[in-house]
Amino acid sequence: MVLGLVVVSPLFAESLAGYDSTTGDPAALLGGLLFFGPLYGCPALLIREIARRFRVGWGGIAVLSAGFGVLQAGVIDQSMFVLTYRDIPYWDDMVRPTLIEPLGFAGYTAMVFIGGHVVWSFCTPIVLVESLGGARARVPWLRWRGLIVAGVLYLAVAALILVDHLRTQVDHASGAQVGGALTVVVVLFAGALTLGRERGASRGDLAVPSVRVVGLLSLVAALGFNFVPYSWPGVAGGMALAVLAAGDAGRLSLGTLDRAPCRRGGRRGGAGQSRHGVLRHPAR
């Protein structure tokens, strides 16, 4: 399960997007896993392990993912704060229409970069891999030594990316921007570990739609988000879709997954199922 998450996370974050020159080159894509596995898979592991150890719900997992998204886009590769980036020809078109000059970032790129990390880099891989985990989906997979290894690998690759950016690019984030991004990261992490924890409230027997319905709605939301224009109306539309999707995901995460009686006493759900026998995986 651990290896699966380390592999699936970079596939969703980088390979399936199909925007790089490695698209269509299997050897390059496989080689990229050695680099992108620690960059995306290790944070996904850390998010998941923190959530399972501290009983953080899916809302908290999304907030933790947003924190890592801010860290990635604001501090490590600094793409959120630059006006030019790696000679990408359409970069100016993405940034200029929604640029907030006093803060030095664009509303559109902040939304798509952070939102992309939340959905594709972290939450979707966690949902997918946990859905294959059966009884292990709600328990930690790593011991503390494994957590330390994952953290060290992530920091090592993140440092390589930051050094490469500072060495090869002329446009960098300012100290104030990096400090502001780190402050946001700390606030998001703290909020996820306090306000985002499961409270043990009754979840009820909410109706759970079929996989086809969830898949269709997810596809519509994803396509709508990806095709919003580079403008403030586009940002408003993208945020509205994100809020609606998050609301639906939150409702689905409260739906009952296992309503079958337990073996003893004919009651619905055993002692463990009273807490964990629920729909664990909200649609993105």
Side-chain angles (χ1 to χ4, degrees), residues 3-273:
L3 181 60
L5 186 53
V6 171
V7 171
V8 169
S9 184
L11 286 178
F12 276 83
E14 292 283 339
S15 303
L16 295 183
Y19 71 92
D20 201 359
S21 58
T22 58
T23 301
D25 187 343
L29 292 174
L30 288 174
L33 290 177
L34 299 176
F35 184 82
F36 291 123
L39 182 64
Y40 297 112
C42 287
L45 269 177
L46 294 173
I47 291 168
R48 192 228 166 249
E49 293 298 300
I50 290 170
R52 297 308 170 224
R53 278 175 164 78
F54 296 100
R55 293 184 56 80
V56 175
W58 276 105
I61 291 174
V63 174
L64 286 172
S65 300
F68 273 102
V70 173
L71 187 62
Q72 176 74 19
V75 179
I76 297 173
D77 64 33
Q78 301 186 357
S79 56
M80 193 166 67
F81 292 121
V82 297
L83 299 180
T84 60
Y85 191 73
R86 300 190 181 278
D87 299 323
I88 297 177
Y90 53 85
W91 193 266
D92 193 66
D93 295 332
M94 287 198 305
V95 171
R96 291 294 180 182
T98 60
L99 180 63
I100 307 171
E101 293 193 13
L103 300 179
F105 70 87
Y108 176 83
T109 52
M111 177 185 71
V112 296
F113 292 166
I114 298 171
H117 283 303
V118 170
V119 175
W120 299 112
S121 301
F122 306 127
C123 285
T124 298
I126 293 172
V127 168
L128 179 60
V129 176
E130 280 198 343
S131 70
L132 304 175
R136 298 186 62 196
R138 299 287 292 185
V139 298
W141 295 338
L142 295 176
R143 298 180 179 180
W144 287 107
R145 183 182 301 176
L147 292 175
I148 293 172
V149 170
V152 169
L153 287 174
Y154 170 64
L155 291 176
V157 173
L160 289 175
I161 292 176
L162 177 59
V163 169
D164 178 73
H165 173 75
L166 296 176
R167 181 175 57 86
T168 61
Q169 302 296 304
V170 296
D171 198 358
H172 306 145
S174 66
Q177 289 171 325
V178 171
L182 289 174
T183 301
V184 171
V185 171
V186 171
V187 170
L188 290 173
F189 285 176
L193 293 175
T194 53
L195 303 177
R197 299 183 69 179
E198 296 175 343
R199 304 299 179 183
S202 176
R203 301 172 190 269
D205 288 332
L206 300 179
V208 179
S210 69
V211 173
R212 291 181 180 179
V213 171
V214 173
L216 178 61
L217 292 177
S218 300
L219 177 62
V220 171
L223 290 175
F225 188 86
N226 284 332
F227 285 103
V228 296
Y230 307 147
S231 63
W232 283 115
V235 172
M239 292 302 298
L241 281 172
V243 170
L244 289 173
D248 286 341
R251 184 180 65 83
L252 286 173
S253 70
L254 299 178
T256 299
L257 179 64
D258 188 355
R259 297 185 175 87
C262 69
R263 295 179 181 177
R264 297 182 182 178
R267 290 182 302 171
R268 297 169 73 162
Q273 290 173 337

